[in-house]
Amino acid sequence: MQRHRVAVIGAGFGGLFAIRALRNAPVDITLINGTAYHLFQPLLYQVATGVLSEGEIAPPIREVLKRQDNVDVKLGWAQHVDTEKKVVSVHGPSIDYTVEYDTLIVAAGASQSYFGNDKFSEYAPGMKSIDDALELRARIFGAFEIADLQTDPVAQERWLTFVVVGAGPTGVEMAGQIAELAHRNLPGQYKHIDPRKARIILVDAVGAVLNTFGDHLSTRALRQLHLMGVEVELNTKVVDVDLTGIEVESERGHQRIPSMTKVWAAGVQAPALARQVAEAAGAETDRAGRIMVNPDLTVPGHPEIFALGDMMNLAGPDGRPLPGVAQVAIQGGRYAADVIERRLRRKPEPKPFKYFDKGSMATISRFSAVASVGKFRLSGFFAWVMWLVVHVFYLVGFKNRFTTVVHWAVSFLGRGRSERVATEQQAFARRAMKEYGDPYQLVRAAEEAEALKAAGPVPTDKHPSEPTTYAEKATAGK
């Protein structure tokens, strides 16, 4: 007799914690994820600034789940969900396949939002993936190296100007770490430049840094950023980004900031899959593409489909949508697993999902952070220690926790950065892939061309302009 089939899209906090909670349930789980690792996104900025290696925040999924026998891990990107046939269509490297399900958990996370200006991404990478972090690492450390070669003071200043867009936790942490590099870690290592003269500019269209933390902590964070030499430009909207600079509009009017290194840490949106699932299920989405879910985290009209974390829009006690943070996804994953297990054991379903807010934290610099936990507002050293403990706790795997603590000791107690290696491939691979196309699809196109050549001409009733083979798809639009 076939056991209940659970398909999980996404190996982030929501998907991973749901799978772990189902380890003893009478189900067969298929996990679909676009990468072979689980990513701890809150520490991506530390990979980008040379504090941690990518392996410390991205353990292999198969290693994490190696003791859970009811899980089949599959690499690929979910493209389409057929809610009637209960089938997920997946685009994998060199092969497409389908996964059937009885229950579906959609937890594919979020992507960077450029608010309709996707062309900005070419010059200002986001902070949502390991690829983003490694590219930024190459750009940040490369900027100091190239600045050291410049003989033109104007060019040198342009290479030593770093602009971070977005004054939320990610943007504040990123600006703080670049400032630490410039003022503490790198001075004395270059013959022709003084890294302390680097400009770090934090830009946001709203009127406060860390605006969700409250006025008190926002003011503390702003003061600390100023002490570190970060220039904070609030109520400032980005209107254009290109190779050599960024253009903004503020109360002072239109301004261009010459800069070779830009970081985009403003705005998130649900992936295209969320809208596709919502359309297939007849559900609504919000402006960010998140699915409006029922109180039990299911998609309206489809109790067999759960949407978790950044994929869902569910109002909290204050009437506002729950934030896209790790704890919402973790608690949602455990809740969905509990609902599934209760259904299988024919037990009453639990009460509607209720998020327990464990607080918000953000680091600003070494020994300085802010934390909002319930009614308590902490800043400074004690908030920083709390931030360390919480983030170590949520890292997956003892080895990752141990090496992370060691690297933090090197970076925070000393003046070194253990992960400063950056390559040209990291800096330019994204642009090359965009120019030359998906390498796996090109391989498939070549294989298909060989097969067609061997088989001879095959009649087709397709429209003349419609690409059907991988060779045609690989070259379409070029």
Side-chain angles (χ1 to χ4, degrees), residues 185-439:
N185 300 108
L186 299 182
Q189 299 185 24
Y190 295 89
K191 292 291 185 182
H192 308 292
I193 60 169
D194 182 357
R196 290 170 293 192
K197 293 183 178 179
R199 295 180 66 196
I200 298 92
I201 304 171
L202 181 63
V203 176
D204 202 304
V206 301
V209 300
L210 302 176
N211 65 320
T212 60
F213 282 64
D215 293 341
H216 174 69
L217 293 182
S218 176
T219 301
R220 287 290 186 93
L222 180 61
R223 183 184 304 130
Q224 183 63 27
L225 287 168
H226 282 154
L227 289 174
M228 297 175 66
V230 177
E231 302 174 35
V232 182
E233 299 286 347
L234 301 174
N235 296 310
T236 302
K237 182 181 178 181
V238 175
V239 294
D240 198 14
V241 182
D242 57 37
L243 179 63
T244 60
I246 184 168
E247 297 190 18
V248 299
E249 287 183 354
S250 66
E251 296 173 351
R252 298 191 299 271
H254 190 92
Q255 179 186 5
R256 179 174 177 82
I257 305 172
S259 169
M260 297 301 294
T261 308
K262 287 82 65 178
V263 183
W264 193 274
V268 295
Q269 62 185 4
L273 180 67
R275 292 189 185 277
Q276 190 277 309
V277 171
E279 290 175 3
E284 296 181 359
T285 59
D286 63 11
R287 292 177 60 185
R290 296 174 298 184
I291 303 171
M292 310 291 288
V293 298
N294 293 322
D296 64 354
L297 307 187
T298 60
V299 176
H302 288 269
E304 78 282 3
I305 302 178
F306 294 84
L308 306 179
D310 295 323
M311 300 281 288
M312 73 174 190
N313 181 316
L314 180 67
D318 59 0
R320 294 184 297 181
L322 293 175
V325 296
Q327 269 302 320
V328 172
I330 290 171
Q331 294 177 34
R334 289 171 173 162
Y335 177 88
D338 185 36
V339 173
I340 293 168
E341 200 159 2
R342 283 172 176 267
R343 288 175 181 176
L344 293 175
R345 301 187 189 283
R346 302 185 187 282
K347 293 182 178 181
E349 294 198 4
K351 295 180 180 179
F353 175 72
K354 184 177 181 181
Y355 171 56
F356 176 65
D357 188 357
K358 295 186 178 182
S360 302
M361 302 177 186
T363 58
I364 304 166
S365 64
R366 185 178 67 120
F367 305 148
S368 179
V370 293
S372 174
V373 183
K375 296 181 179 180
F376 297 98
R377 302 292 182 269
L378 302 174
S379 61
F381 180 75
F382 289 109
W384 183 78
V385 172
M386 183 183 296
W387 180 92
L388 289 179
V389 172
V390 168
H391 282 71
V392 167
F393 179 78
Y394 282 111
L395 277 173
V396 175
F398 171 79
K399 178 182 177 182
N400 292 331
R401 292 176 183 142
F402 177 78
T403 56
T404 295
V405 169
V406 171
H407 283 167
W408 277 347
V410 170
S411 299
F412 298 144
L413 300 180
R415 292 180 180 270
R417 292 284 166 129
S418 54
E419 299 292 335
R420 281 177 57 176
V421 174
T423 68
E424 288 187 13
Q425 286 188 7
Q426 292 169 349
F428 302 115
R430 182 168 61 102
R431 189 176 301 176
M433 290 178 66
K434 183 178 180 180
E435 176 70 22
Y436 295 105
D438 181 348

Side-chain angles (χ1 to χ4, degrees), residues 6 30 69 81 127 140 231 239 245 255 281 317 322 353 364 442:
V6 178
T30 301
D69 295 333
V81 175
M127 284 289 290
I140 291 167
E231 302 174 35
V239 294
Q255 179 186 5
L322 293 175
F353 175 72
I364 304 166
L442 294 174

